[in-house]
Amino acid sequence: MKSMTVKKALGLLRKHDISPIELVDMCHRRLKETTNLNYMVHNIPSQLLHKHARIAEQSYVKGSSKALDGIPVAFKDNFCMRNIPTTCASRMLLNYKPPYTATMVEKVAQAGGIIVGKTNMDEFAMGSGSVDSCYGPVVNPWNFALNLQGQESILDEESSLSDWFISGGSSGGSAAAVAAGACLAAFGSDTGGSTRNPASYCGLVGLKATYGLLSRHGMIPLVNSMDVPGIVTKTVEDSAILLNAVAGHDVRDSTTVQEKYAPFEIDDTFDVSKVYVGIPREFHTPGLSPEVLKLWKATADALEQAGAKVAEVSMPHAKHCLNCYHVLCCCEVASNFSRYTGIEFGLRCGSEESTEDLYAESRHHGFNDVVRGRILAGNFFLLRRNFDRFFLKAQRIRRLISNDFKAVFSSGIHFLLTPTTLTDAPSFSWFSQKDNRTRSAEQDIFTTAANMAGTPAVSLPLSNSQRGLPLSLQLMGPHFSESRLLSLAYWLEQQAHFQHLDLDFLDRK
Amino acid sequence: MLRVACKRLRVFSTRLDCLFNFQHCAKDFKPAALYASKVPDKPTVDSIDYDSLPELPEIDLALVEQLERISLVEFNNEAGLLRLREAVKIANQLHLVDTDGVEPMDTVLEDRECYLRSDNVTDGNCVEDVMSNASKVEEQYFVAPPGNIPMKKRDKDHLSNILGKKEEEDEDS
């Protein structure tokens, strides 16, 4: 499983060296072996998986296989699947079974992908640790390989699980599922870094595509103007395979762009010497760990030594990203979350004597503190007397941030290289010392900018920290530059030889 | 010629391995001797001039009641109120930025025409689907309790420490 990637699996399936049923069973066994990581909140029953696997098998026998035939894929629990519980890890939606299916899910299924389950997350994708879920926190699969003392003790004795590394969030379940080997690829969502952050902490490639490239239809919204589906895979090539299978215009999402999407393959002859890479100086912030800084420098130097032009650039408004994101997010949340009343769907509890009381009580019991806090703050910023002062102010700053990107890319810079996170995966005990807002502000510090500007960004693991956890960097490019962005990411990946998490010993038990 | 190139490539690739696997060979590797890295050594630190910021708006009982009424969620406890205070404090720092003459940005797709489908019916006959998630229905209607009944007013004793001197008004109401 360790070395099994989407690309490799497709090769083996085509040569009939492995059958879709075997592949699905391998993933299912791994899921069973790692349930204590709590990354999956709804499993598709194995009979159904086998049914889909047999259909995929037929395609391979007939030689008419599709892009993802037989590939096990998981979805974050904020993607709607018809008649399958879709909860956003919130008590509000525990009883919700959508009457329709998200476009991303539909496209994966149409391409032959086998959907194995729904993954755990921060409630309504609000968070950066996957610890604020009504199902409890997600545990980083790397805990299997090491513990806080760096000794070789693992999670098999649950009693010894006093402290552990978090998976990052909010799509922590999706990242953990891929890292553990319960699927070969997973979808998350990325509003301020929610796919790249857990990908970084779990040693995976996390892609946030250009806003408008992937359909949001059926992905339960957090911040409509920034949400994009995210792709989590082990390798850059896999990321491209998944992107090709799902990208393009969707008549059900008017914010997807109408140009025809041109599928691409990773260019393994990509000429790095023709690339101009910018290092935004404002992304070296206080709190950046020496290990991440060292990796950042080593990578920038490696690019330069390979002939790329590397230059320090300035994005003067980047430092206001988090505060700006904070206001815009609360405002869109206040508006978006008014749909949860308990009447048409979702939790309904409390007084049946007054509509308002019923709404208030249902929302009180349905939402956690984080969600309630953002709704209240959002409604404060949207009050008539505050609208200009906070909401429009934040929207103005958003333009300045977006202009920073435009200026850098029009100056000749092709890509930006930055850290994804300040450190390697934090421990649960450290992470839970501060509240969700404080942690989100630290955790999303390098990732929100791409959401503000709508640009594509990819986080990729390149090295390990001293305690053995993955360390990652982020590449960002101009709108719709995915093919070149991933080709550069592939080049870096090839140089780095990052060792993926090896849990194959679990199968031998 | 080719042999030289191959040799150089090999040297190059081992050096790159070294760059990335620096935990094993960090001691041998001294990039500074070869290149002045373009990644800045020191973080960019901005000292925030808090005195230049506008005063924070006051959070009083009237505001709390208004926000709870329009949000239809309550401030559970003092922590919730402190969370709002903190959120406003953070937002206030936006005023460090001069935005004179800058237009607000709603969406990154502002320069494009978004897709509008033609006004044709594309689905329907899905009443059962639409109603399937409602806890209470009658004859294909959603059921809600009577409207026009304002929320019960709850006392705000649990917030009194933060709302401070507003306690008296609370008793009056």
Side-chain angles (χ1 to χ4, degrees), chain A residues 92 340-367, chain B residues 71-74 134-136 142-147 149-152 154:
Chain A
M92 180 56 86
Y340 300 104
T341 60
I343 301 289
E344 287 115 333
F345 57 86
L347 180 74
R348 176 179 184 139
C349 66
S351 156
E352 291 285 343
E353 278 151 38
S354 137
T355 307
E356 284 196 8
D357 270 324
L358 178 68
Y359 285 3
E361 231 168 303
S362 301
R363 290 160 67 82
H364 180 80
H365 292 288
F367 296 142
Chain B
S71 302
L72 290 169
V73 294
E74 290 189 354
S135 307
K136 226 173 179 181
F142 295 115
V143 179
I149 300 172
M151 257 166 70
K152 275 188 221 96
R154 293 173 175 84

Side-chain angles (χ1 to χ4, degrees), chain B residues 8 18 27 36 39 44 54 80 85 105 113 131 150 154 169:
Chain B
R8 281 177 67 181
C18 181
K27 281 177 210 125
V39 177
T44 310
R85 198 173 267 183
M105 184 178 192
E113 274 183 29
M131 310 290 292
R154 293 173 175 84
E169 290 169 33

Side-chain angles (χ1 to χ4, degrees), chain B residues 61 155-157 166-173:
Chain B
L61 182 68
D155 69 58
K156 298 282 172 250
D157 288 348
K166 300 287 163 188
E167 260 183 59
E168 289 169 19
E169 290 169 33
D170 200 7
E171 280 163 14
D172 291 344
S173 65

Side-chain angles (χ1 to χ4, degrees), chain A residues 200-493:
Chain A
S200 152
Y201 287 156
C202 294
L204 301 162
V205 176
L207 174 69
K208 172 226 172 280
T210 307
Y211 185 89
L213 191 61
L214 302 182
S215 170
R216 295 183 293 116
H217 173 71
M219 189 178 93
I220 297 175
L222 172 64
V223 183
N224 300 58
S225 75
M226 295 185 217
D227 290 342
V228 293
I231 297 172
V232 186
T233 53
K234 275 188 195 149
T235 66
V236 176
E237 283 182 317
D238 284 5
S239 194
I241 292 171
L242 267 289
L243 181 68
N244 285 337
V246 297
H249 178 60
D250 178 12
V251 291
R252 293 194 181 105
D253 176 2
S254 61
T255 60
T256 49
V257 297
Q258 293 166 67
E259 287 94 328
K260 195 160 169 44
Y261 175 77
F264 63 89
E265 278 189 34
I266 296 294
D267 179 7
D268 55 9
T269 61
F270 187 74
D271 188 355
V272 177
S273 70
K274 295 204 168 64
V275 171
Y276 199 165
V277 178
I279 307 290
R281 86 168 68 99
E282 291 79 4
F283 281 65
H284 187 171
T285 60
L288 184 68
S289 84
E291 288 182 311
V292 175
L293 177 63
K294 205 165 175 181
L295 174 68
W296 192 14
K297 283 186 171 181
T299 308
D301 294 347
L303 282 164
E304 209 168 357
Q305 289 179 30
K309 275 204 260 179
V310 179
E312 189 180 307
V313 296
S314 175
M315 301 180 71
H317 299 95
K319 55 181 177 283
H320 302 291
C321 259
L322 282 167
N323 293 349
C324 179
Y325 177 82
H326 163 71
V327 173
L328 295 178
C329 177
C330 288
C331 290
E332 288 206 39
V333 163
S335 154
N336 258 329
F337 282 63
S338 59
R339 77 189 63 194
Y340 300 104
T341 60
I343 301 289
E344 287 115 333
F345 57 86
L347 180 74
R348 176 179 184 139
C349 66
S351 156
E352 291 285 343
E353 278 151 38
S354 137
T355 307
E356 284 196 8
D357 270 324
L358 178 68
Y359 285 3
E361 231 168 303
S362 301
R363 290 160 67 82
H364 180 80
H365 292 288
F367 296 142
N368 71 6
D369 280 346
V370 179
V371 179
R372 285 200 296 259
R374 290 201 198 180
I375 294 172
L376 287 160
N379 277 324
F380 173 80
F381 298 136
L382 291 171
L383 289 175
R384 233 153 57 94
R385 62 176 182 274
N386 294 332
F387 192 77
D388 203 334
R389 184 175 173 189
F390 293 113
F391 180 62
L392 292 184
K393 182 80 183 175
Q395 283 199 317
R396 290 191 169 91
I397 294 174
R398 180 175 189 185
R399 180 175 302 283
L400 292 173
I401 294 163
S402 161
N403 287 349
D404 278 358
F405 276 92
K406 283 185 185 153
V408 163
F409 291 135
S410 64
S411 76
I413 297 277
H414 300 129
F415 303 109
L416 295 165
L417 177 71
T418 73
T420 310
T421 47
L422 290 164
T423 60
D424 57 1
S427 69
F428 177 74
S429 64
W430 176 85
F431 192 86
S432 41
Q433 277 164 19
K434 293 270 169 65
D435 72 335
N436 178 292
R437 196 205 57 75
T438 312
R439 285 299 176 226
S440 294
E442 291 162 358
Q443 298 294 313
D444 298 343
I445 188 160
F446 303 126
T447 46
T448 49
N451 300 84
M452 292 280 177
T455 54
V458 60
S459 170
L460 67 160
L462 293 170
S463 180
N464 294 90
S465 64
Q466 289 223 315
R467 51 188 186 185
L469 292 167
L471 289 175
S472 305
L473 293 180
Q474 172 180 243
L475 283 170
M476 296 185 275
H479 289 178
F480 304 105
S481 65
E482 277 80 1
S483 111
R484 283 171 50 77
L485 183 75
L486 289 182
S487 293
L488 177 60
Y490 176 78
W491 185 86
L492 286 173
E493 183 185 53

Side-chain angles (χ1 to χ4, degrees), chain A residues 30-304:
Chain A
R30 185 53 64 79
L31 174 69
K32 288 272 150 66
E33 289 157 353
T34 53
T35 46
N36 51 356
L37 302 179
N38 198 29
Y39 54 78
M40 207 69 100
V41 298
H42 181 81
N43 300 329
I44 305 295
S46 45
Q47 294 123 302
L48 201 58
L49 296 179
H50 281 174
K51 191 183 134 199
H52 290 139
R54 276 192 294 273
I55 296 172
E57 185 135 34
Q58 283 306 307
S59 315
Y60 283 108
V61 170
K62 284 189 221 141
S64 60
S65 61
K66 299 184 289 291
L68 297 175
D69 253 325
I71 300 297
V73 179
F75 274 88
K76 187 175 182 176
D77 204 26
N78 59 353
F79 284 90
C80 289
M81 280 176 77
R82 189 177 162 84
N83 292 334
I84 304 260
T86 296
T87 69
C88 282
S90 172
R91 285 182 302 275
M92 180 56 86
L93 292 179
L94 281 180
N95 61 358
Y96 181 60
K97 285 185 183 169
Y100 69 108
T101 298
T103 301
M104 287 298 101
V105 179
E106 220 164 71
K107 285 196 172 183
V108 166
Q110 275 165 9
I114 297 177
I115 292 146
V116 297
K118 307 293 292 293
T119 59
N120 202 354
M121 57 189 280
D122 283 303
E123 180 164 334
F124 283 109
M126 296 186 200
S128 50
S130 299
V131 300
D132 287 320
S133 156
C134 76
Y135 301 105
V138 179
V139 179
N140 191 322
W142 285 76
N143 286 285
F144 265 115
L146 53 145
N147 73 1
L148 277 178
Q149 283 74 48
Q151 295 151 1
E152 213 165 306
S153 112
I154 48 167
L155 290 173
D156 49 6
E157 292 168 55
E158 287 210 36
S159 54
S160 69
L161 195 63
S162 56
D163 199 11
W164 39 274
F165 298 109
I166 62 164
S167 64
S170 63
S171 315
S174 295
V178 177
C183 55
L184 297 186
F187 279 75
S189 58
D190 195 311
T191 308
S194 278
T195 294
R196 288 161 286 157
N197 175 293
S200 152
Y201 287 156
C202 294
L204 301 162
V205 176
L207 174 69
K208 172 226 172 280
T210 307
Y211 185 89
L213 191 61
L214 302 182
S215 170
R216 295 183 293 116
H217 173 71
M219 189 178 93
I220 297 175
L222 172 64
V223 183
N224 300 58
S225 75
M226 295 185 217
D227 290 342
V228 293
I231 297 172
V232 186
T233 53
K234 275 188 195 149
T235 66
V236 176
E237 283 182 317
D238 284 5
S239 194
I241 292 171
L242 267 289
L243 181 68
N244 285 337
V246 297
H249 178 60
D250 178 12
V251 291
R252 293 194 181 105
D253 176 2
S254 61
T255 60
T256 49
V257 297
Q258 293 166 67
E259 287 94 328
K260 195 160 169 44
Y261 175 77
F264 63 89
E265 278 189 34
I266 296 294
D267 179 7
D268 55 9
T269 61
F270 187 74
D271 188 355
V272 177
S273 70
K274 295 204 168 64
V275 171
Y276 199 165
V277 178
I279 307 290
R281 86 168 68 99
E282 291 79 4
F283 281 65
H284 187 171
T285 60
L288 184 68
S289 84
E291 288 182 311
V292 175
L293 177 63
K294 205 165 175 181
L295 174 68
W296 192 14
K297 283 186 171 181
T299 308
D301 294 347
L303 282 164
E304 209 168 357

